Amino acid sequence: MEEEVSSELETFRKEWQQEVTARSKSSSSNQGNKLARPPGPPKLGSSVVKLKPSTHSGPFIIDDEAHGTLATQGHQDLEDKDEARKLVGEGKDNYPSNRASREPSSALEHYEQAVEKESQGSLGDSLKLYRMAYRLDAGVDRIYKNKHFPPCSFKSKQANLNPPNAPVAVPNPAHHSLDGPPKSSLSELITSFSSVSILSAPRPTDHSPPLPCPISIIPSELLVEILKRTAAADIASFARLSLVCRRFAYLIETEDRIWKNVCMGFQHGFGAMHYNWSCTISGDPVLCTDEHRYDTDDPLAETDELSPSSAAVLTPLTFPLTLTYPTHKTMFQKRPRVRFSGCYISTVNYIRPGAPTPLQVSWNTPVHIVTYYRYLRFFRDGSCVSLLTTTEPTDVVHYLCKENLHTHHAGGLPSAVMNHALKGRWKLSGPDPPTSLLPSRMTRTTSAATSSQLGPSSEAEGTVHIETLGVGGDKYIYKMELSLRSGGRSTGTRNNKLAWRGFWSYNKLTDDWAEFGLRNDRAFVWSRVGSYGMGE
């Protein structure tokens, strides 16, 4: 009986071992097909271990599949935890996520996070971090630059192989430069055009005959005369001819005969300048011969008047070249002169406080923006026009002529603005007068008192004196002093601005002088008017 029980028990054991072996093989093959990272640990309350009661009188049996899964998850969780502890322990500051999560403490850390935020597009956060970094350390930008962009990462500049104190035997590396020959100056470039002739236009095809160019066969003397007449007609068109070809550029830049004719002429140059009063305030011509051209009497005193037919013709002045003006071109560009092909406009804007109306409730005090304009136009005969109005320049400049200097304009006409225009005269403070043009009574005397009457030498060149009639008749005379200046972004713009020096009123009846305040007034700026042509 015992033998039968032991044989059955041995048979059951063998069958159980075979079954366990087969299940272990199948579970190992299934584990190989699963993902590398198993799912997380089991949730609390879920059954992991399955207990099966045996029909035989043996011990409890544990499910091998559940046992393998539990064991595998336990071991892999331990490996993950060990790896995390290792990473945190070794280099927790090597990842941007760790740095971003940690609050910056030093100025450099604030600056680094600000740079990172700026690269990500968070400008508001980067600005806050920049401010905090500079509050902690004002030189944090240099520290950041030395850390991330050290000087050793850049190429050092080549040492100066030819210092100033080196002997002549040391070769100059500039002679062996790979950038080509050094650039020449403008004067050298213009000089290189001296032997260049005028070329005709290129042929449209290779087999076409050369196009005719009649101006290329004109002698240089005739070409200079053509350019001289062009300059007398329009100086701006004459200057633009230098863009046509190299030959024109050379002649316009270096031909002093053309510039002397322009500089001393009556069209654009100093021949039209008046260095003393040449007319009365009303615009009538006065005795102005060569003998009294530099006579400086009382500017407000009326001199003897002459009819236009009996007025003497003035001799053109000739100014010698000096160190300040070595060429006639330089003299024409830089010497103070008045322009006649336009008018000078002063735009005045200022704010004036107002008073609230009693019928309107307002919390703020109103203000008034006041805008008005001053106009000045000079004429070649020494007269001028002054106008103060609130009308804009587009409605005024075309009526600033001598024909409109009267008060009979109807109110509805566009020229009605000229009802407030004032007649006047002008003169320019100039250089010392030539000795040949001085009056004989000045050349004969040697007294210091008589020599002091030469007014132009005691005043700086470039001051414009203007005298106009006052408002309300002949009771008052207004006197203005303006200084010729150069303004604008272009370096070639000269004598286009009149800056205030003083403004006075003279009462003829009481012989009193009063000064006007110039707190809000601005300088006059020259504006060309096409309808004026070359000026009157």
Side-chain angles (χ1 to χ4, degrees):
M1 189 66 182
E2 293 179 358
E3 294 179 356
E4 292 179 358
V5 173
S6 61
S7 62
E8 289 180 0
L9 183 59
E10 187 69 24
T11 303
F12 176 74
R13 288 177 179 176
K14 291 180 179 180
E15 291 178 356
W16 181 75
Q17 289 179 357
Q18 293 176 0
E19 186 179 357
V20 170
T21 303
R23 289 185 178 182
S24 62
K25 290 181 179 180
S26 62
S27 64
S28 62
S29 61
N30 292 335
Q31 288 292 333
N33 295 331
K34 288 183 179 180
L35 296 175
R37 186 177 181 85
K43 297 181 180 180
L44 184 61
S46 58
S47 60
V48 178
V49 182
K50 298 180 180 179
L51 301 178
K52 293 183 179 179
S54 175
T55 56
H56 303 282
S57 59
F60 288 100
I61 300 173
I62 300 176
D63 191 352
D64 292 333
E65 183 176 0
H67 179 269
T69 303
L70 180 60
T72 304
Q73 291 179 354
H75 290 297
Q76 290 180 353
D77 288 344
L78 291 175
E79 292 177 0
D80 293 343
K81 292 179 181 179
D82 293 341
E83 185 69 20
R85 293 192 189 96
K86 184 178 180 180
L87 292 175
V88 172
E90 291 181 358
K92 59 182 179 180
D93 293 336
N94 295 331
Y95 294 93
S97 60
N98 294 334
R99 291 199 306 266
S101 60
R102 188 167 58 87
E103 290 295 332
S105 58
S106 63
L108 182 60
E109 292 178 357
H110 280 86
Y111 199 90
E112 290 175 346
Q113 285 199 12
V115 173
E116 183 178 355
K117 291 290 185 181
E118 185 179 1
S119 62
Q120 295 175 358
S122 302
L123 301 181
D125 297 339
S126 65
L127 184 58
K128 294 179 181 178
L129 292 170
Y130 277 131
R131 289 176 177 173
M132 183 60 66
Y134 279 105
R135 287 177 182 174
L136 295 175
D137 188 358
V140 65
D141 54 340
R142 294 190 295 271
I143 300 175
Y144 177 84
K145 182 178 178 181
N146 294 333
K147 177 182 177 181
H148 296 277
F149 306 99
C152 59
S153 61
F154 299 97
K155 294 182 179 180
S156 60
K157 294 183 179 180
Q158 186 178 3
N160 189 7
L161 301 178
N162 192 10
N165 55 356
V168 183
V170 178
N172 191 351
H175 297 164
H176 310 283
S177 176
L178 300 178
D179 299 334
K183 296 182 180 180
S184 59
S185 60
L186 180 60
S187 59
E188 295 176 354
L189 183 63
I190 294 297
T191 306
S192 64
F193 297 160
S194 59
S195 60
V196 177
S197 59
I198 301 176
L199 303 177
S200 60
R203 295 182 295 179
T205 61
D206 296 338
H207 301 284
S208 300
L211 299 177
C213 185
I215 199 172
S216 62
I217 60 177
I218 296 179
S220 298
E221 292 77 7
L222 294 180
L223 198 59
V224 170
E225 187 64 26
I226 292 174
L227 294 176
K228 186 186 296 184
R229 294 177 181 269
T230 304
D234 188 0
I235 190 65
S237 301
F238 165 73
R240 284 194 292 267
L241 283 177
S242 61
L243 305 176
V244 174
C245 62
R246 298 181 179 180
R247 183 63 180 171
F248 278 12
Y250 174 76
L251 291 175
I252 292 173
E253 183 68 24
T254 60
E255 189 57 49
D256 197 58
R257 290 177 293 175
I258 302 176
W259 287 106
K260 182 178 181 180
N261 184 66
V262 172
C263 187
M264 302 302 172
F266 287 95
Q267 290 83 6
H268 310 283
F270 301 99
M273 299 296 105
H274 297 275
Y275 297 100
N276 206 334
W277 305 115
S278 58
C279 65
T280 61
I281 296 180
S282 302
D284 300 324
V286 298
L287 181 61
C288 187
T289 60
D290 291 342
E291 193 178 45
H292 298 86
R293 191 170 187 180
Y294 285 93
D295 193 4
T296 55
D297 294 330
D298 186 7
L300 298 179
E302 298 291 341
T303 56
D304 298 333
E305 299 183 4
L306 293 176
S307 61
S309 59
S310 62
V313 179
L314 299 179
T315 304
L317 294 177
T318 55
F319 298 104
L321 299 179
T322 60
L323 295 177
T324 307
Y325 311 115
T327 62
H328 288 94
K329 178 185 176 183
T330 306
M331 182 184 296
F332 179 76
Q333 290 178 342
K334 296 184 178 181
R335 193 159 216 160
R337 58 185 175 88
V338 173
R339 303 190 183 192
F340 305 105
S341 57
C343 63
Y344 294 83
I345 304 174
S346 173
T347 304
V348 182
N349 290 293
Y350 68 93
I351 298 176
R352 185 181 66 186
T357 59
L359 300 179
Q360 184 179 3
V361 179
S362 60
W363 295 98
N364 299 323
T365 302
V367 295
H368 301 284
I369 301 177
V370 182
T371 303
Y372 64 89
Y373 305 90
R374 290 185 182 272
Y375 300 89
L376 277 177
R377 184 184 177 184
F378 301 95
F379 299 100
R380 298 180 185 274
D381 59 352
S383 61
C384 65
V385 178
S386 175
L387 178 62
L388 172 64
T389 180
T390 58
T391 309
E392 296 184 355
T394 54
D395 302 327
V396 175
V397 293
H398 299 290
Y399 302 102
L400 283 174
C401 353
K402 292 183 179 180
E403 293 79 9
N404 296 324
L405 285 176
H406 57 83
T407 59
H408 304 295
H409 299 281
L413 295 178
S415 60
V417 67
M418 292 297 294
N419 288 328
H420 305 287
L422 303 176
K423 298 179 182 180
R425 60 179 181 176
W426 66 274
K427 73 171 183 176
L428 183 64
S429 63
D432 293 338
T435 308
S436 60
L437 296 180
L438 288 177
S440 57
R441 62 180 175 85
M442 292 186 180
T443 56
R444 287 194 299 265
T445 181
T446 58
S447 63
T450 308
S451 300
S452 63
Q453 295 181 4
L454 297 178
S457 61
S458 60
E459 189 176 12
E461 186 178 3
T463 302
V464 182
H465 299 269
I466 301 173
E467 294 179 0
T468 63
L469 295 175
V471 177
D474 298 336
K475 180 180 177 181
Y476 295 98
I477 291 179
Y478 296 156
K479 181 176 177 60
M480 292 182 280
E481 282 191 8
L482 304 166
S483 179
L484 275 166
R485 303 286 179 83
S486 299
R489 298 180 179 178
S490 176
T491 55
T493 305
R494 302 283 182 176
N495 299 321
N496 66 334
K497 193 174 182 180
L498 287 175
W500 283 97
R501 295 188 61 184
F503 192 11
W504 300 273
S505 173
Y506 175 71
N507 191 336
K508 291 183 177 181
L509 300 180
T510 60
D511 194 18
D512 292 333
W513 287 89
E515 185 175 3
F516 294 108
L518 301 174
R519 183 182 61 179
N520 299 318
D521 289 87
R522 298 293 181 266
F524 290 84
V525 179
W526 181 78
S527 178
R528 185 170 185 175
V529 182
S531 60
Y532 292 174
M534 295 177 59
E536 300 180 10

